[in-house]
Amino acid sequence: MRRLLLASLIALAVLPAATLAAAPASAPLDLETIMASPDWLGHAVESPYWSVDGRSLYYRLQRDGDSVSDLYRVGAEGGASSKLDAAAMAQAEGAPVYDRSHTHAAFILHGDVFLVDLASGRRVQVTRSLQPEAAPQFSADGRALQFRDGNDWYSYDLASGVTAPAAILKFADDPQAAEPDALARQQLALFSTLREIKADRDAHRAQQQALAAADAGRAPQPFWLGNGIKAADTELSPDGRWMLVVTEPAHHDDGKAPDVIHYVTDSGYTEAEAARTYVGRDDPAPQSLLLLDLGAHKVWPLKTDALPGIKDDPLKVIRDQTIAALQKAGHDDEAKALQAPALRPVTIASDGSGGGIAWSDDGNQAAVQLRSIDNKDRWIASVDFANHSLVSQDRLRDNAWINWSFNDFGWLKDGRTLWYLSEASGWSRLYVKPLGGAAKALTDNTKFEVSQPQLSPDGKWFYVLTNKVAPYSYDVYRVPASGGELARVTQYEGADGFALSPDGSRLAVLHSAPYLLDQLAVQPAGGGTPRELTDTMKSGFTARPWVQPQFVEVPSSHGAGVVYAKYYGPANETDAHASRPAVIFVHGAGYLQDVSKQETYYVREQMFQNLLVQQGYVVLDMDYRGSAGYGRDWRDAIYRNMGHPELEDLLDGKAWLVKQHGVDPKRVGIYGGSYGGFMTEMALLRAPGEFAAGAALRPPADWATYNHEYTSNILNDPQLDPEAYKTSSPIEYAQNLQDPLLIEHGLIDNNVMASDSIRLYQRFVELHKKNFWISLYPLERHEFEHADDWYDEYRRIDELFNTYVKQRAD
């Protein structure tokens, strides 16, 4: 789930793409075709970036037949794309960064650092090493190029060509700083020779320190930070004076991890593989922050105790109830373990869902984003270098959970004004805030989401992706950094991402549509006619008459307004009173948006919807409550209550199908994978008789066995909030099964473990239930990769629906 559920679909070929492409576009769809390797569709353009000179763009494209991707280059003015062979790759460029005067650029290529003089075009390879370097940045004065290898930072002097470590961090106790204990002091007192040896050692050390302080050509003296911590992240200031070090306990126990078992192996023996830990088995490691003055060689801890609300307990009511219940049951040790900490622990290092450090371009200011481990608060704080402390600039509180998205932040070009995204209003908005001043929203409070903010090179504009026109319509907009009108720049309705050219005059735009994988275009940054640069789709796919989804609004009977959905039906649907069968598809991840004019993550599933329509069904795909794209309250609606608001929405969808499209209420099936599989199980077990049959693919049946990062946000920890887990887990409703249920799961799934489905299956066995089946796939993880398995699971789904939905006779 989370980001794991949003990984790209990869499958191995079982039918030659050429064979599929040659099939007549008018030929009926069949499972063999739509579940084969997706090579026959074409491939999405991925990871585009501008060349150093801004005249062309690079992008990646997956090959047919395997998961390897190649680098391509195309001119920004158009023309044919060139695939770079091994020789050409040696002269390629990586995504560039520039110094403040725009005289030099740097990039990473094959894990090494390169420097380019923009006037002459001269290119210098700075590193050639086995370990990959990353994060190149220029010093504030432009005289050095800084980069990192893991958590170690280096500085390359442009004039001398010398590379040196910016700092040397030692996570151990300084062997020279240890104070002698009583026995050692006695030895020194007794033996003059030992005193002479110690004096000589101290003299050598003092000399080395003096020489290092006076000679910039020497490697810096190490910082001895102690053996009780380790680095989670480090960030070097552009002026080279400061380093911020995010630390965590060196020996934090992540808890016991379950195993997944590989039954089909190269060796012929079964093999065990450790997976991730269960939620609540141990919280994430608490993190702290150190400020290092590299010039003065001093270290200060940056304490969090002054952050507003850091000493609050947002879970006090739930905590008190659970502790009282445990004490009443005689579990005093468990009750004691749930006592609230005096100071809430935080995480700081960026993990893709919040956190991180941002320096101003001149290195004079730093901002730190911190997130409470209980998921209820996010702070953005500046660093007071004079007083060695954090100063809160913004606090975001969410009584449910802080979103994984919309945590971007940084500095304006003035180096004194922060910018950040926040859901404080209920929707993601872009704000600017001068240090010590009031925050100002740059985007208005109408109901739309703002994401992917990029500041133009001249600092005058913010470019953002928004769904301002409609929840399902995404385009690039821009707004002045000083405030003003939010103006639409692209007109695609299916924009997915963008990158500003080095001079800020053009936008490279990734855009897609329901049957169009991501393609690349370039247009003026202020708006205008785009120039399409790629067409990577294949004619065998594009020539087919695919069913275009209709974007519809399903009225909520539970006070939720409307639920947006995609409806798939026949082209000439004239008889509104026909007794049609229907299927409701439920997207995965929970917090994901599938009702949009962008390409769908569910490429094969969308083709299966077409097959269902061909067979006489109509299909509804809903962005139920908890989905992305509709603001904070829509997301938070499932807090401590997963599977309940969503089911209300799905039942409203069924009622809408009956009323608007003549669907037989007794012939409605339901299916989905991951969170969609969970909702399929909840639908059959909490609303028996409503759905004729359901297929649950890789479903979480018991949230207590899912991961911590996702589950604890929505349901808190199971030890603290056991009632939320009981309310939200399908296995707790197993006794209600009465409708046919097909469960399908990969046996080496290390995201949602197959044990979830096997345990639920055993519950059904013990409850003497009928009409339930399980299909297990020995070589599949959470994201199915092999076309044979795709075909088999959907053959079973197709048979389930044709037997129990389409042909149902009451």
Side-chain angles (χ1 to χ4, degrees):
M1 299 170 135
R2 281 180 69 186
R3 304 288 189 265
L4 290 175
L5 293 180
L6 303 179
S8 298
L9 289 172
I10 301 172
L12 302 180
V14 294
L15 292 180
T19 301
L20 293 170
S26 59
L29 281 175
D30 59 78
L31 279 172
E32 289 278 4
T33 299
I34 64 179
M35 296 302 158
S37 163
D39 289 345
W40 73 283
L41 285 69
H43 295 288
V45 172
E46 298 177 339
S47 307
Y49 59 90
W50 288 89
S51 63
V52 168
D53 61 12
R55 297 176 181 174
S56 58
L57 285 133
Y58 293 91
Y59 64 89
R60 303 202 74 87
L61 199 67
Q62 184 180 317
R63 294 178 185 175
D64 285 349
D66 56 42
S67 60
V68 174
S69 65
D70 293 300
L71 189 65
Y72 286 73
R73 182 170 179 154
V74 62
E77 298 301 318
S81 295
S82 300
K83 183 172 77 171
L84 305 188
D85 59 19
M89 281 293 296
Q91 299 302 314
E93 300 166 341
V97 297
Y98 300 87
D99 61 9
R100 298 171 75 188
S101 63
H102 213 79
T103 57
H104 292 92
F107 56 83
I108 301 292
L109 183 66
H110 51 67
D112 288 312
V113 182
F114 288 79
L115 173 71
V116 179
D117 183 292
L118 295 179
S120 66
R122 180 173 177 264
R123 169 170 161 162
V124 175
Q125 184 169 354
V126 176
T127 66
R128 182 177 296 148
S129 59
L130 293 177
Q131 66 273 19
E133 286 83 28
Q137 63 182 36
F138 286 93
S139 61
D141 60 12
R143 296 178 180 178
L145 173 60
Q146 304 160 343
F147 57 91
R148 68 190 298 168
D149 168 9
N151 282 318
D152 296 324
W153 281 86
Y154 296 86
S155 182
Y156 170 81
D157 185 82
L158 272 62
S160 67
V162 173
T163 299
I168 298 174
L169 309 183
K170 297 287 189 180
F171 291 93
D173 296 328
D174 184 350
Q176 304 298 324
E179 291 294 329
D181 60 14
L183 181 59
R185 291 194 300 271
Q186 181 192 41
Q187 307 313 298
L188 290 171
L190 288 173
F191 303 105
S192 60
T193 304
L194 288 180
R195 291 195 297 274
E196 292 172 2
I197 293 172
K198 181 179 184 302
D200 185 65
R201 186 170 60 240
D202 291 345
H204 277 282
R205 185 183 184 200
Q207 181 195 39
Q208 291 302 313
Q209 290 175 338
L211 290 172
D215 185 357
R218 288 174 174 258
Q221 292 294 301
F223 285 89
W224 296 92
L225 302 178
N227 59 14
I229 57 174
K230 62 182 179 181
D233 187 24
T234 58
E235 296 293 342
L236 177 66
S237 67
D239 63 7
R241 177 180 175 183
W242 305 97
M243 180 176 285
L244 286 166
V245 181
V246 181
T247 69
E248 58 188 39
H251 305 292
H252 180 73
D253 183 5
D254 292 328
K256 181 180 179 181
D259 289 336
V260 295
I261 306 299
H262 294 252
Y263 291 95
V264 181
T265 65
D266 292 336
S267 68
Y269 293 90
T270 56
E271 298 172 5
E273 173 196 0
R276 44 121 186 107
T277 55
Y278 293 157
V279 58
R281 298 304 105 182
D282 203 353
D283 284 347
Q287 294 179 341
S288 300
L289 196 62
L290 297 176
L291 174 65
L292 277 56
D293 186 330
L294 304 187
H297 204 267
K298 293 183 178 180
V299 181
W300 292 275
L302 297 180
K303 297 181 180 180
T304 61
D305 54 358
L307 295 175
I310 191 68
K311 299 177 183 178
D312 297 348
D313 181 10
L315 293 165
K316 177 175 172 51
V317 173
I318 297 171
R319 189 184 308 277
D320 289 348
Q321 291 173 348
T322 303
I323 288 176
L326 288 170
Q327 290 173 335
K328 184 177 180 180
H331 303 303
D332 291 342
D333 288 345
E334 294 179 36
K336 184 178 180 181
L338 292 180
Q339 294 293 334
L343 194 72
R344 284 191 286 160
V346 300
T347 57
I348 303 165
S350 176
D351 62 356
S353 59
I357 295 167
W359 289 97
S360 61
D361 287 347
D362 59 13
N364 291 328
Q365 299 292 341
V368 181
Q369 187 178 117
L370 309 93
R371 179 173 174 144
S372 61
I373 284 180
D374 61 26
N375 313 306
K376 302 297 187 277
D377 278 280
R378 184 198 77 180
W379 297 270
I380 298 176
S382 59
V383 177
D384 182 338
F385 294 101
N387 295 304
H388 318 123
S389 61
L390 294 174
V391 180
S392 179
Q393 299 295 333
D394 179 73
R395 177 193 180 190
L396 177 63
R397 158 59 68 87
D398 192 317
N399 290 326
W401 76 94
I402 300 294
N403 200 346
W404 305 294
S405 303
F406 312 130
N407 292 300
D408 310 61
F409 71 111
W411 295 92
L412 296 186
K413 295 296 183 181
D414 64 8
R416 301 295 181 272
T417 306
L418 279 165
W419 64 263
Y420 57 91
L421 293 181
S422 175
E423 283 189 316
S425 70
W427 297 80
S428 174
R429 301 173 72 188
L430 178 62
Y431 295 81
V432 291
K433 182 184 185 298
L435 294 180
K440 178 176 74 172
L442 294 185
T443 54
D444 63 54
N445 199 27
T446 53
K447 296 181 177 181
F448 63 91
E449 304 276 42
V450 172
S451 64
Q452 300 185 32
Q454 293 184 31
L455 188 62
S456 62
D458 62 11
K460 294 180 179 180
W461 297 93
F462 273 107
Y463 290 80
V464 296
L465 189 70
T466 87
N467 56 352
K468 186 175 182 178
V469 170
Y472 46 78
S473 176
Y474 283 86
D475 268 301
V476 180
Y477 287 65
R478 73 174 187 173
V479 61
S482 58
E485 179 188 2
L486 180 67
R488 189 172 179 177
V489 174
T490 66
Q491 305 290 328
Y492 284 111
E493 295 192 281
D496 291 302
F498 60 95
L500 279 162
S501 63
D503 64 2
S505 66
R506 291 161 295 166
L507 280 178
V509 183
L510 275 182
H511 65 92
S512 61
Y515 296 98
L516 176 70
L517 302 178
D518 268 334
Q519 301 299 318
L520 182 61
V522 169
Q523 70 165 70
T529 303
R531 180 180 296 108
E532 300 298 328
L533 300 182
T534 62
D535 179 6
T536 62
M537 304 299 293
K538 294 183 179 178
S539 60
F541 178 80
T542 58
R544 281 192 170 272
W546 298 107
V547 178
Q548 293 299 321
Q550 300 175 36
F551 293 86
V552 300
E553 300 178 9
V554 175
S556 170
S557 62
H558 301 90
V562 299
V563 185
Y564 284 88
K566 292 189 294 190
Y567 172 76
Y568 297 83
N572 299 310
E573 187 177 334
T574 56
D575 185 359
H577 301 289
S579 182
R580 296 185 176 89
V583 169
I584 294 180
F585 169 70
V586 190
H587 71 68
Y591 190 65
L592 178 148
Q593 185 173 14
D594 196 38
V595 180
S596 84
K597 292 190 175 182
Q598 302 159 316
E599 66 175 296
T600 178
Y601 171 70
Y602 300 99
V603 175
R604 281 189 173 99
E605 290 86 342
Q606 183 173 246
M607 290 190 285
F608 185 61
Q609 329 297 32
N610 277 256
L611 179 63
L612 290 172
V613 171
Q614 179 180 290
Q615 294 175 350
Y617 299 85
V618 294
V619 182
L620 192 66
D621 174 1
M622 306 181 73
D623 274 348
Y624 49 81
R625 274 173 285 176
S627 299
Y630 305 91
R632 180 195 61 206
D633 294 346
W634 194 262
R635 169 176 57 82
D636 285 355
I638 65 172
Y639 178 58
R640 304 186 67 227
N641 199 31
M642 294 168 79
H644 293 250
E646 309 96 301
L647 179 55
E648 292 175 347
D649 296 340
L650 297 175
L651 290 173
D652 283 338
K654 176 189 171 185
W656 180 86
L657 286 170
V658 171
K659 181 178 180 180
Q660 299 295 330
H661 294 277
V663 165
D664 182 347
K666 295 182 179 180
R667 292 199 295 158
V668 179
I670 185 170
Y671 87 103
S674 196
Y675 202 97
F678 154 71
M679 280 310 307
T680 297
E681 291 180 348
M682 288 294 269
L684 266 62
L685 299 177
R686 289 199 57 252
E690 287 286 351
F691 295 95
L697 290 65
R698 52 200 182 277
D702 184 354
W703 287 111
T705 63
Y706 196 54
N707 71 21
H708 186 90
E709 293 76 14
Y710 181 94
T711 322
S712 65
N713 282 335
I714 308 174
L715 300 179
N716 304 311
D717 278 7
Q719 295 87 346
L720 180 66
D721 201 352
E723 192 59 34
Y725 284 78
K726 183 177 181 180
T727 298
S728 303
S729 295
I731 200 167
E732 299 289 347
Y733 304 95
Q735 69 278 5
N736 297 333
L737 181 68
Q738 70 179 45
D739 306 302
L741 172 62
L742 170 64
I743 302 172
E744 300 180 309
H745 215 128
L747 271 177
I748 56 172
D749 189 337
N750 55 2
N751 179 14
V752 178
M753 255 68 83
S755 57
D756 266 44
S757 291
I758 294 169
R759 290 171 63 234
L760 180 60
Y761 188 89
Q762 179 63 22
R763 281 288 291 145
F764 292 150
V765 169
E766 294 179 1
L767 289 166
H768 295 188
K769 294 297 181 179
K770 299 178 180 179
N771 292 334
F772 63 95
W773 307 269
I774 191 168
S775 182
L776 300 173
Y777 297 87
L779 291 174
E780 295 294 355
R781 294 197 183 273
H782 196 63
E783 303 298 334
F784 274 35
E785 294 184 353
H786 305 103
D788 289 339
D789 295 332
W790 273 99
Y791 172 79
D792 186 79
E793 67 171 347
Y794 274 82
R795 175 188 60 79
R796 295 172 189 272
I797 296 170
D798 191 43
E799 291 173 358
L800 176 80
F801 287 159
N802 280 328
T803 301
Y804 294 99
V805 178
K806 186 177 183 180
Q807 300 178 27
R808 175 172 175 169
D810 292 306

